[in-house]
Amino acid sequence: MDIWFTRSEERSFAGLRAGWRLAVFLLIAIGVPGLLTAVAMLAGAQRSTGAATGIAVSPWTSLASEALLFGWIAFVTWIMARLEHRSWGSFGLPVQKAFGKLFWQGVAWGVVALSVLLVLIFISGDLTFGHIVLRGTAIPRFGLEWALAFLAVGFFEEFSFRGYTLTTLTQGTGFWIAAIILSAGFGSAHLGNGGESWIGALSAGLIGLFFCFTWHRTGSLWFAVGLHAAWDYCESFVYGVPDSGSVSRGRLLQPHFHGSHWITGGTVGPEGSLWVFVIIGLLFVLFADLYPHKKKAADQTELIAS
């Protein structure tokens, strides 16, 4: 990932220390919506609450909220890119790679990883997949709606925690320290979800660390966006299991968990299962082997050619 500056950039806003630039980004990204929320509350607007356990979530509600949030983060990143005289795509989502090979590879990894996790819970005797509950045109309709909704989720969460933030913090602290800090924040943010547990938050943080690792190895967030969206899509629509206490309205299957919450994840869903840590470990090992660091890959190619 090319995150260093030319001399002209060093003389611009980009020449400020990474911490100051990140502070400006966070001040705009979080401060402005926070101020607007405070004004709305003072004006008598109702404060929204977190999702309660068992609430069915609508795809259009999810799509609208996540797309709006991603749009805001993308706009703030554009402002920072202009200030630093850099391209917007240099912060993780280069347009020339949009929905290309890395994205679809990520989708495949997400489908397989989530499916294997549920199969492990099934083999443990704690999950019944149930039967298809949608009929007729409802299947493609909800399938498309949820695909768009979770694509928006992937864009927003990846670009928020691993876009400008990861790029800039890496410049100040080095990659692994930046990745750990942001992944800890990503996991902690999940504690605000209704029905979440410390195991679910820990697994979210570790999955976030894996997404950082894919950014480090591929040079973009397209793989992470694809995996993130596909994981959530299979979890919430295809298999219909809980996700941090929420279930999807218009899910394809009607599954049933039974047995130990340590295995099923309980209200958290499979991300709260102890099996998830096995899956995350396998993701790290397989990705490290199949996607070598760019410099290492170049050295190997040169060695083979010689």
Side-chain angles (χ1 to χ4, degrees):
M1 189 82 183
D2 183 14
I3 58 175
W4 312 113
F5 304 120
T6 64
R7 296 194 175 197
S8 62
E9 288 172 327
E10 289 176 351
R11 291 192 294 268
S12 68
F13 182 84
L16 292 177
R17 289 183 179 274
W20 286 111
R21 287 182 281 118
L22 185 59
V24 172
F25 174 83
L26 294 176
L27 181 63
I28 301 174
I30 299 175
V32 172
L35 179 61
L36 294 177
T37 300
V39 171
M41 290 175 63
L42 290 174
Q46 298 245 344
R47 182 177 182 180
S48 61
T49 58
T53 302
I55 286 182
V57 181
S58 161
W60 286 113
T61 299
S62 297
L63 175 60
S65 61
E66 298 291 336
L68 181 63
L69 290 169
F70 170 64
W72 171 246
I73 295 298
F75 175 66
V76 177
T77 300
W78 176 81
I79 292 175
M80 301 304 293
R82 295 281 292 179
L83 290 174
E84 297 183 15
H85 301 290
R86 303 186 67 190
S87 68
W88 183 86
S90 65
F91 296 108
L93 290 177
V95 177
Q96 65 271 23
K97 294 184 179 180
F99 302 104
K101 180 175 67 174
L102 281 175
F103 172 81
W104 292 108
Q105 288 173 347
V107 168
W109 278 59
V111 171
V112 172
L114 192 278
S115 298
V116 171
L117 173 56
L118 291 180
V119 167
L120 290 174
I121 298 174
F122 171 77
I123 292 174
S124 300
D126 296 292
L127 169 65
T128 302
F129 284 102
H131 60 280
I132 296 177
V133 294
L134 293 181
R135 294 290 182 270
T137 58
I139 295 177
R141 178 169 67 86
F142 278 109
L144 177 60
E145 290 174 359
W146 278 119
L148 294 173
F150 287 119
L151 184 60
V153 170
F155 274 123
F156 167 59
E157 294 193 359
E158 291 309 309
F159 208 48
S160 295
F161 285 90
R162 288 166 279 277
Y164 184 87
T165 49
L166 181 56
T167 302
T168 304
L169 193 56
T170 294
Q171 293 165 6
T173 66
F175 168 70
W176 283 109
I177 293 178
I180 290 171
I181 291 173
L182 292 173
S183 298
F186 184 64
S188 298
H190 281 71
L191 289 173
N193 297 334
E196 188 60 89
S197 71
W198 70 267
I199 294 180
L202 177 60
S203 72
L206 290 175
I207 291 174
L209 187 62
F210 174 70
F211 288 145
C212 291
F213 184 54
T214 68
W215 172 89
H216 186 58
R217 284 293 177 92
T218 66
S220 82
L221 290 172
W222 282 110
F223 183 96
V225 169
L227 194 158
H228 195 148
W231 175 293
D232 286 352
Y233 181 78
C234 288
E235 182 178 43
S236 298
F237 170 69
V238 178
Y239 296 112
V241 292
D243 180 6
S244 297
S246 298
V247 293
S248 299
R249 185 171 69 84
R251 50 186 173 162
L252 184 63
L253 295 176
Q254 183 81 42
H256 300 284
F257 281 139
H258 36 80
S260 171
H261 285 192
W262 293 101
I263 302 300
T264 66
T267 59
V268 180
E271 288 161 7
S273 167
L274 293 180
W275 278 120
V276 75
F277 298 107
V278 175
I279 297 299
I280 296 171
L282 288 173
L283 287 175
F284 269 103
V285 171
L286 290 173
F287 194 87
D289 181 58
L290 296 174
Y291 293 79
H293 193 277
K294 287 183 175 181
K295 185 178 185 305
K296 181 180 178 181
D299 292 343
Q300 289 174 340
T301 302
E302 183 178 348
L303 181 62
I304 292 173
S306 61

